Amino acid sequence: MRLFIAVNLPQQVRRGMWEAAESLRARSYPIRWVPPDSLHLTLKFLGEVAAEREEEIVGGIRRAVKGTKPFTLPIAGFGAFPSPVRPRVVWVGCEGVPSLELLQHRVEQEMDRLGFPVEGRPFHPHLTLGRVKRGVKQRTLAGFAADLGPLEYAAEVLVESVDLMQSELMRDGARYTRRRKVELEA
Ligand code: 2AM
């Protein structure tokens, strides 16, 4: 099964992000939007994993969160990777939060011990709202940066747990289900 480790968001925040991007979706750019129920923050993508390794992975997540207390995660602002003028991934940001960076680093270290290689690129925490469809011409995205610019959303999320998630690739996009929830230490 295809697995990843994520922080999930309260429904109210998922709704808020979705609604804040309404005007952008209305422009019908060639973007596949993540449905509001699926919006999340990925800490580590594991990829295809044998089902019998699930407990071992949960054990790694438990070790990673040991000593981490629940913390507040401010999320704010819209952006795009690699840039708003050449967008591929559209997101809401949550950078620069030391507790989150430490947590991600510890998850990365524990998963490395289990044989999941450390990402070669720096961690840019983000909440993916949409992905530009493959092979689309750049001109179909003309005006995107100008439409993204005025969007605003900000919220504070209390992070109290980390989830092991399963991703199933369906014809109309990925379906995510929570397999396990690991609570941070209160
Ligand atoms: P993204 O939001 O930046 O696309 C489930 O696929 C989650 O794992 C997504 O949030 C996705 O991040 C993340 N992810 C990270 N690396 C990935 C990869 N190589 N393939 C698919 N998803 C990946």
Side-chain angles (χ1 to χ4, degrees):
M1 50 192 174
R2 194 178 163 90
L3 298 178
F4 63 102
I5 300 169
V7 169
N8 280 298
L9 308 166
Q11 193 194 10
Q12 188 195 345
V13 171
R14 286 184 266 122
R15 275 273 143 221
M17 288 165 56
W18 176 260
E19 282 166 14
E22 176 65 49
S23 62
L24 195 59
R25 286 195 304 281
R27 302 304 302 264
S28 303
Y29 290 114
I31 292 173
R32 198 186 280 275
W33 297 100
V34 176
D37 285 351
S38 297
L39 296 168
H40 65 272
L41 164 60
T42 299
L43 296 177
K44 175 77 182 168
F45 180 74
L46 300 174
E48 206 55 45
V49 179
E52 53 272 24
R53 295 200 69 192
E54 186 167 0
E55 286 313 314
E56 192 190 348
I57 292 166
V58 172
I61 301 174
R62 288 216 177 92
R63 286 194 298 278
V65 307
K66 219 170 175 49
T68 302
K69 294 196 174 1
F71 63 92
T72 302
L73 177 68
I75 66 178
F78 287 78
F81 293 142
S83 81
V85 284
R86 293 203 146 263
R88 290 186 53 78
V89 172
V90 187
W91 45 258
V92 171
C94 52
E95 288 238 35
V97 180
S99 306
L100 177 68
E101 290 184 5
L102 189 61
L103 178 62
Q104 188 272 341
H105 180 67
R106 301 209 48 196
V107 166
E108 190 81 82
Q109 275 182 324
E110 290 297 337
M111 292 304 122
D112 184 31
R113 287 179 51 185
L114 298 182
F116 298 96
V118 173
E119 289 284 335
R121 50 186 181 177
F123 177 51
H124 289 299
H126 62 277
L127 305 152
T128 298
L129 283 172
R131 299 178 179 89
V132 173
K133 293 179 182 168
R134 274 165 206 254
V136 301
K137 298 258 186 318
Q138 179 64 26
R139 63 179 155 71
T140 62
L141 291 154
F144 177 87
D147 289 334
L148 184 73
L151 299 188
E152 282 181 29
Y153 182 71
E156 293 206 330
V157 173
L158 179 63
V159 179
E160 295 179 287
S161 58
V162 170
D163 296 325
L164 177 62
M165 304 292 294
Q166 180 172 8
S167 165
E168 290 167 283
L169 303 178
M170 319 299 270
R171 202 185 303 192
D172 56 347
R175 183 169 64 201
Y176 304 137
T177 42
R178 176 159 65 198
R179 294 199 61 89
R180 295 290 280 273
K181 178 175 185 156
V182 179
E183 306 274 354
L184 303 188
E185 289 187 353

